[in-house]
């Protein structure tokens, strides 16, 4: 086995431990380390033995081992030292504990989270027990994991103005992992990763107060490397996530953002991936996302019942497989600043006044989207390049129902996306946030067309004229018109009086207002 293989094995082990995604005991971790090293040493010895037999037979094996180059023996020693360096400890915060330093069991758990954090060393994990914790916590330890018992069990909150609930010490090259907490800040940031911090937040819930300067979610200003937020909910906040000024990589995925009063995401990063999120119920003139990144992937997001202005502002954008349904909360333009080069494809767009624009000197590919009840799809400025190769649809998307944006069995958006993009079941991609490689596989329900609404009628001497809103589902066939003298009657072939393919019907079997 070569040196790079040994190094890779140890690195992978260190990653698993550092991630804090597993609650192994110290003995289990040590066993993994020893077993990994043992396997590598066996390979090393077998290689040496084979080398010895090839030269002089079994009798020279011990001699050859001692004659091996010092560099390889030093490498083995270094690997053992590195494996020992990733040994991690566990500390506990328990309101019913004994508060005995260094808080390495639930029984001896600290009465304050800060005490358990202060007792930690790099690569340690702090577990926070069930209950309500009113305190602010300063993090000043590298590769530290903070894990609660779930957002329905562990609440950490504060109301000190402009003081974060969790704050990473500035100008440290530290990494923090935070999971399983309900974090509420009524007057500032729930989590603030200061300059030099890297941050991964998973399965947390954030609430605060509304208003432009009310409670806020996560701030990762000036972080130099990586920010990842996933499987979280943000509700009743001013700003949900602010990630600005210098972050190399940002990933926001599988999160729900609702009722924010200023903005959902404010990002200024090198590379941003915003995918599989839901944005809903935002107030007037509040942006779902704004900022400027070098490269932005905005994919498989659902936006509804929102003002929903999205300012991309990046040099290169992929805006793919999103569903936007604004329902009258229409900004001047739904998607602003598509950037120098932007690809918008496989998006389902409904009830929007103006969708987007492309400025002079910029390129926009706008294809394989569906526009439904959109007044203006794109405004092309002088000197801009618009590519619509492949075309766009303008059909009823046929969702399951009110605010359920799965597609029905006969939706025209099924298998109608870019033919070079595929769904998870390897078929041609669907249009909308559930299609494409970031979507999901589900059963398409065969639902009946919607019941006709907006029915009006006009009674004349020899007829009654009926009109109603025309159905637009792709599987619509015709209307059946029934009549009876009893209110709330049951339709049957006996009282069927007509079949129509349009939304207009004249009943001439009435004379002077009475049926013949």
């Amino acid at each position: 086995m070569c040196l790079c293989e040994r190094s890779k094995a140890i690195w992978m082990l260190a990653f698993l431990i550092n991630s804090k995604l597993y609650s192994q005991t110290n003995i289990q971790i040590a066993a993994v380390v020893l077993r990994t090293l043992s396997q590598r040493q066996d390979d090393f010895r077998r290689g040496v033995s084979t080398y010895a037999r090839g030269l002089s037979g079994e009798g020279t094996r011990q001699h050859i081992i001692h004659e091996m180059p010092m560099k390889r023996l030093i490498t083995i020693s270094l690997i053992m030292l590195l494996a020992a360096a990733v040994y991690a400890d566990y500390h506990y915060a328990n309101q019913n504990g004994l508060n005995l330093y260094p808080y390495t069991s639930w029984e001896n758990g600290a009465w304050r989270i800060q005490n358990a954090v202060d007792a930690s060393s790099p690569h340690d994990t702090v577990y926070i027990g069930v209950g309500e914790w009113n305190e602010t916590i300063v993090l000043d330890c590298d590769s530290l994991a903070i894990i609660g018992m779930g957002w329905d069990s562990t609440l950490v909150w504060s109301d000190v103005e402009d003081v974060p609930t969790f704050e990473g010490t500035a100008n440290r090259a530290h990494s923090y992992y935070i999971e399983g907490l309900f974090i509420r800040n009524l007057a500032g940031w729930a989590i603030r990763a200061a300059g030099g911090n890297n941050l991964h937040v998973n399965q947390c819930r954030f609430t605060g107060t509304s208003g432009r300067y009310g409670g806020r979610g996560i701030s990762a200003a000036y972080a130099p490397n990586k920010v990842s937020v996933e499987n979280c909910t943000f509700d009743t906040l001013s700003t949900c996530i602010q990630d600005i000024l210098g972050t190399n990589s940002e990933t926001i995925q599988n999160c729900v953002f609702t009722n924010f009063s200023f903005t959902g995401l404010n990002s200024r990063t090198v590379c941003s991936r915003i995918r599989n999120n839901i944005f809903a119920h935002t107030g007037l003139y509040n942006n779902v996302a704004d900022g400027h990144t070098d490269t932005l992937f905005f994919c498989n997001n659902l936006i509804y019942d929102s003002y929903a202005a999205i300012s991309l502002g990046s040099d290169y954008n992929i805006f793919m497989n999103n569903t936007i349904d604004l329902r009258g909360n229409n900004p001047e333009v739904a998607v602003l600043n598509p950037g120098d080069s932007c690809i918008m494809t496989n998006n389902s767009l409904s009830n929007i006044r103006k969708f987007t624009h492309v400025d002079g000197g910029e390129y926009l590919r706008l294809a394989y989207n569906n526009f439904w009840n959109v007044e203006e799809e794109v405004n092309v400025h002088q000197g801009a390049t618009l590519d619509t190769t492949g075309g766009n649809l303008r059909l009823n998307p046929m969702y399951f129902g009110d605010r359920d944006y799965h597609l029905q069995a006969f939706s025209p958006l099924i298998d109608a996306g870019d033919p070079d993009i595929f769904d998870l079941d390897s078929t041609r991609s669907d249009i909308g946030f559930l299609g494409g490689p970031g979507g999901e596989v589900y059963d398409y329900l065969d639902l009946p067309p919607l019941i006709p609404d907006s029915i009006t009628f006009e009674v004349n001497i020899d007829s009654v004229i009926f009109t109603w809103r025309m159905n637009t589902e792709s599987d619509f066939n015709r209307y059946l018109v029934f009549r009876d003298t009893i209110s709330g009657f049951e339709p049957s072939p006996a009282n069927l009086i007509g079949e129509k393919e349009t939304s207009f019907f004249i009943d001439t079997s009435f004379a002077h207002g009475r049926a013949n």
Side-chain angles (χ1 to χ4, degrees):
M1 176 172 286
C2 65
L3 175 61
C4 64
E5 289 174 326
R6 286 197 292 269
S7 300
K8 180 178 180 181
I10 298 302
W11 179 86
M12 289 175 64
L13 177 64
F15 175 81
L16 286 175
I17 295 172
N18 291 345
S19 72
K20 307 297 183 182
L21 294 178
Y22 304 94
S23 58
Q24 303 130 308
T25 65
N26 299 339
I27 295 175
Q28 290 174 319
I29 293 176
V32 173
V33 173
L34 292 175
R35 185 162 56 252
T36 303
L37 290 175
S38 175
Q39 292 169 349
R40 300 300 179 263
Q41 290 167 343
D42 287 346
D43 292 340
F44 175 73
R45 292 193 182 100
R46 283 195 295 271
V48 172
S49 299
T50 303
Y51 175 76
R53 285 195 299 271
L55 288 179
S56 306
E58 292 291 337
T60 60
R61 181 185 303 176
Q62 187 65 37
H63 174 73
I64 294 298
I65 291 177
H66 286 294
E67 291 297 320
M68 287 298 294
M70 183 60 67
K71 181 177 180 180
R72 294 193 179 183
L73 295 179
I74 292 174
T75 299
I76 295 176
S77 299
L78 288 175
I79 292 173
M80 291 180 178
L81 289 174
L82 288 172
V86 301
Y87 175 84
D89 207 347
Y90 301 89
H91 307 271
Y92 299 84
N94 179 10
Q95 294 174 344
N96 299 314
L98 297 177
N99 198 37
L100 295 178
Y101 184 89
Y103 324 109
T104 52
S105 69
W106 283 116
E107 181 181 5
N108 296 330
W111 292 342
R112 296 182 66 248
I113 300 170
Q114 186 67 65
N115 291 344
V117 168
D118 291 343
S120 300
S121 299
H123 307 289
D124 283 1
T125 298
V126 173
Y127 287 101
I128 305 175
V130 298
E132 183 175 326
W133 304 77
N134 178 207
E135 60 177 296
T136 58
I137 300 99
V138 176
L139 307 176
D140 192 11
C141 180
D142 188 23
S143 300
L144 181 65
I146 307 290
I147 300 179
M149 297 297 101
W151 69 37
D152 58 346
S153 301
T154 304
L155 167 64
V156 185
W157 69 279
S158 62
D159 57 1
V160 182
E161 187 173 358
D162 292 329
V163 176
T165 308
F166 288 89
E167 181 167 26
T169 303
N171 302 317
R172 300 274 206 273
H174 287 173
S175 298
Y176 304 118
Y177 176 81
I178 300 176
E179 177 190 306
L181 298 174
F182 178 4
I183 308 175
R184 186 176 68 208
N185 192 304
L186 304 180
W189 292 105
I191 298 175
R192 182 165 66 189
N197 299 158
N198 303 312
L199 183 64
H200 184 182
V201 182
N202 184 29
Q203 297 178 2
C204 290
R205 178 185 175 191
F206 298 86
T207 66
T209 55
S210 59
R212 188 179 181 90
Y213 301 106
R216 285 157 277 170
I218 299 173
S219 174
Y222 305 99
N225 191 19
K226 183 177 181 180
V227 172
S228 178
V229 181
E230 56 184 335
N231 308 309
C232 295
T233 67
F234 300 81
D235 182 66
T236 315
L237 295 162
S238 169
T239 296
C240 299
I241 298 177
Q242 175 179 273
D243 185 7
I244 61 174
L245 301 179
T247 300
N248 289 331
S249 176
E250 171 195 61
T251 299
I252 312 296
Q253 62 184 4
N254 299 319
C255 295
V256 178
F257 303 84
T258 54
N259 301 305
F260 48 89
S261 57
F262 183 44
T263 187
L265 302 176
N266 183 359
S267 300
R268 285 168 173 81
T269 63
V270 175
C271 181
S272 181
R273 297 172 179 85
I274 302 172
R275 58 198 181 198
N276 300 99
N277 303 290
I278 297 175
F279 303 85
H281 312 304
T282 65
L284 191 63
Y285 305 116
N286 298 322
N287 289 343
V288 164
D290 63 59
H292 185 98
T293 65
D294 291 348
T295 303
L296 172 65
F297 300 90
F298 195 93
C299 305
N300 296 99
N301 299 288
L302 169 62
I303 303 171
Y304 70 94
D305 286 355
S306 301
Y307 184 73
I310 305 169
S311 180
L312 302 180
S314 303
D315 297 330
Y316 178 72
N317 296 302
I318 299 290
F319 192 86
M320 182 177 75
N321 279 109
N322 301 289
T323 295
I324 302 178
D325 182 10
L326 299 191
R327 300 192 176 211
N329 297 317
N330 291 324
E332 184 65 23
V333 181
V335 180
L336 297 162
N337 305 319
D340 295 339
S341 179
C342 183
I343 297 175
M344 293 182 173
T345 188
N346 286 15
N347 301 291
S348 180
L349 311 160
S350 304
N351 304 308
I352 300 172
R353 187 151 52 96
K354 296 181 180 180
F355 175 57
T356 193
H357 63 92
V358 54
D359 295 333
E362 296 178 346
Y363 168 83
L364 173 63
R365 172 165 168 75
L366 189 68
Y368 299 103
N369 303 289
N370 184 68
F371 295 93
W372 180 244
N373 193 23
V374 177
E375 294 181 20
E376 182 177 329
E377 298 171 7
V378 58
N379 185 358
V380 183
H381 296 180
Q382 185 175 0
T385 301
L386 176 64
D387 179 7
T388 58
T389 303
N392 295 282
L393 301 177
R394 294 159 186 87
L395 301 170
N396 184 340
M398 292 180 61
Y399 299 128
F400 270 21
D402 187 38
R403 294 172 178 79
D404 184 341
Y405 294 91
H406 291 79
L407 301 179
Q408 295 184 38
F410 293 95
S411 168
L413 277 58
I414 297 174
D415 297 338
D418 190 319
D420 294 327
I421 301 173
F422 297 92
D423 288 341
L424 291 176
D425 60 2
S426 300
T427 61
R428 179 174 171 174
S429 59
D430 293 351
I431 294 175
F433 84 112
L434 296 172
E440 66 178 53
V441 177
Y442 60 95
D443 294 329
Y444 303 114
L445 298 183
D446 185 5
L447 302 178
L450 294 177
I451 297 173
D453 61 10
S454 303
I455 299 176
T456 64
F457 64 91
E458 177 185 336
V459 179
N460 298 315
I461 295 177
D462 58 352
S463 66
V464 180
I465 302 174
F466 294 91
T467 60
W468 56 87
R469 191 197 309 270
M470 183 74 182
N471 284 65
T472 54
E473 297 92 337
S474 63
D475 60 346
F476 167 74
N477 183 271
R478 68 190 187 278
Y479 297 102
L480 303 180
V481 183
F482 302 84
R483 186 190 67 203
D484 205 308
T485 58
I486 302 174
S487 178
F489 69 93
E490 190 71 25
S492 70
N495 49 34
L496 176 66
I497 62 172
E499 300 185 16
K500 296 288 292 185
E501 295 180 357
T502 65
S503 58
F504 180 82
F505 179 76
I506 302 177
D507 185 356
T508 58
S509 60
F510 269 67
H512 302 288
R514 299 184 61 179
N516 293 333

